[in-house]
């Protein structure tokens, strides 16, 4: 799903036999909105089977979004 300047949604199937995260079909939702004269990006990833599987993804997204913020602030 693509709604220009508003929302992006896609799915993928992950196969990583040696990873902590089990194989699975994931959905990623990214919402874009105006915020205080700037932009806000909200990332939501769905279809985890347990809290343990969420942590590596959460860490990855937080790092990626922090890096993006630093880059855009230059």
């Amino acid at each position: 799903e693509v709604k220009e300047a508003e929302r992006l949604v896609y799915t993928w199937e992950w196969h990583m036999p040696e990873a902590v995260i089990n194989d699975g079909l994931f959905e990623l939702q990214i919402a874009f909105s105006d915020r205080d004269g700037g932009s806000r990006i909200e990332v939501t990833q769905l279809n985890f089977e347990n809290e343990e599987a969420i942590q590596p993804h959460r860490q990855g997204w937080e790092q990626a979004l922090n890096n993006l913020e630093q880059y855009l602030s230059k």
Side-chain angles (χ1 to χ4, degrees):
E1 175 184 352
V2 177
K3 290 186 179 177
E4 188 175 333
E6 224 178 284
R7 181 176 165 90
L8 173 64
V9 178
Y10 66 92
T11 61
W12 76 95
E13 195 160 354
W14 193 327
H15 297 285
M16 296 187 67
E18 308 215 2
V20 172
I21 304 157
N22 292 335
D23 292 351
L25 180 65
F26 294 95
E27 179 177 313
L28 189 70
Q29 302 174 356
I30 304 172
F32 305 94
S33 59
D34 294 329
R35 182 175 183 185
D36 301 326
S39 299
R40 176 181 167 85
I41 299 173
E42 183 177 341
V43 177
T44 305
Q45 189 171 335
L46 304 171
N47 300 341
F48 292 102
E49 53 180 60
N50 58 46
E51 183 67 27
E52 181 181 354
I54 293 172
Q55 292 308 316
H57 290 265
R58 179 179 288 143
Q59 291 169 347
W61 280 114
E62 287 175 356
Q63 182 178 1
L65 292 170
N66 286 336
N67 290 344
L68 177 62
E69 180 180 29
Q70 289 175 6
Y71 176 78
L72 294 173
S73 295
K74 291 181 181 178

